Amino acid sequence: EVTLNIRGMKVIIKEGNILTCSGWKVIPFNEYFDTQVDDVIIAHSSLNGKYIDSLGDDDKKALKLAIAADQKSPLQRYDSSDGTKTRYELGTIKVFQEVMMLALTHFNEQNEAHTNRAEYEHTLRKMWKEIRRTHQGKSIYIPLIGGGLTQLDDLTEKPNEQLLKCILCTLRTSNVTFDENVQISIILTKKALETVNLYEVKGGK
């Protein structure tokens, strides 16, 4: 692992399983905050799917209720074309237990989660503001956002190191500041870590 200082804020990048971390965990969802894990809407192999699969039946019901009831976000909401769902602006965060659910991707008619590079960066900047709004002084754990099954329309490949640098860059250039006692950790899977040179990332701060 490596530790960075970004505008006085401590940021740790390390290997781990974000689902076992104790504190706020950021988990990406699509713009509808869908919870149907069936390898069509949400893949069981995705972080989103693994998180929902880890919940018991009662918690899954409570999750759906929490998504519907949480209207605290200042970001815009839109009715879907068929009127059956509510679509949220990318960057919106909803809270359930110790999880910050992040609207990261659009969802098309082929059930594909997608965004593009410009939207991805814009979403991350809004994400930092949303985290600041909701974190309540607790530690924050963030995965390699966009590194899973998310499709970036204007990129043929998604080098993990570039995604990591983008996450750090958007924090650095945002106006968001966290208290010095708040630890921000970016959690990489072992597979992702093998594709990232942490010391180069630290040196490029």
Side-chain angles (χ1 to χ4, degrees):
E1 68 179 60
V2 295
T3 301
L4 287 70
N5 185 305
I6 296 180
R7 295 191 289 107
M9 295 176 287
K10 182 179 180 181
V11 180
I12 297 174
I13 306 169
K14 62 182 180 180
E15 179 188 342
N17 178 357
I18 192 170
L19 295 180
T20 64
C21 295
S22 180
W24 284 117
K25 297 173 277 289
V26 175
I27 305 293
F29 278 65
N30 64 30
E31 61 192 330
Y32 297 110
F33 288 97
D34 281 316
T35 59
Q36 183 177 336
V37 185
D38 55 3
D39 286 330
V40 177
I41 304 300
I42 300 172
H44 288 280
S45 61
S46 68
L47 177 58
N48 185 193
K50 289 176 180 177
Y51 163 62
I52 296 172
D53 281 342
S54 73
L55 300 175
D57 290 340
D58 288 344
D59 278 342
K60 287 178 182 177
K61 292 177 183 177
L63 171 66
K64 293 179 181 179
L65 291 174
I67 290 171
D70 181 7
Q71 302 298 325
K72 295 179 181 178
S73 172
L75 301 182
Q76 296 178 2
R77 295 176 282 274
Y78 313 87
D79 290 332
S80 60
S81 57
D82 60 5
T84 60
K85 293 197 222 177
T86 302
R87 179 164 59 94
Y88 291 83
E89 184 177 343
L90 301 188
T92 300
I93 278 180
K94 287 178 173 281
V95 171
F96 177 68
Q97 295 175 350
E98 286 194 324
V99 169
M100 292 182 178
M101 300 174 283
L102 169 69
L104 174 66
T105 57
H106 298 298
F107 205 56
N108 63 23
E109 294 178 355
Q110 288 73 47
N111 296 322
E112 295 172 328
H114 70 102
T115 185
N116 59 48
R117 178 65 181 261
E119 276 190 322
Y120 173 74
E121 293 179 0
H122 191 50
T123 298
L124 291 177
R125 289 190 176 91
K126 287 188 289 188
M127 175 196 75
W128 289 117
K129 292 179 181 178
E130 283 278 87
I131 290 175
R132 180 68 182 85
R133 177 179 65 84
T134 58
H135 81 292
Q136 300 173 336
K138 298 180 182 178
S139 296
I140 303 155
Y141 297 89
I142 299 172
L144 186 64
I145 296 170
L149 300 179
T150 299
Q151 176 179 316
L152 294 178
D153 297 335
D154 46 359
L155 294 181
T156 56
E157 59 181 17
K158 302 181 298 180
N160 289 330
E161 191 166 309
Q162 293 304 312
L163 295 178
L164 176 59
K165 288 180 178 179
C166 192
I167 293 170
L168 296 170
C169 180
T170 54
L171 174 60
R172 188 177 297 112
T173 58
S174 72
N175 293 322
V176 174
T177 301
F178 296 96
D179 186 88
E180 62 180 9
N181 295 321
V182 174
Q183 180 175 301
I184 302 169
S185 299
I186 300 176
I187 307 299
L188 306 182
T189 64
K190 182 178 180 180
K191 184 176 180 181
L193 188 61
E194 290 173 350
T195 66
V196 172
N197 185 331
L198 290 182
Y199 296 100
E200 183 176 320
V201 171
K202 183 175 183 177
K205 65 181 179 179

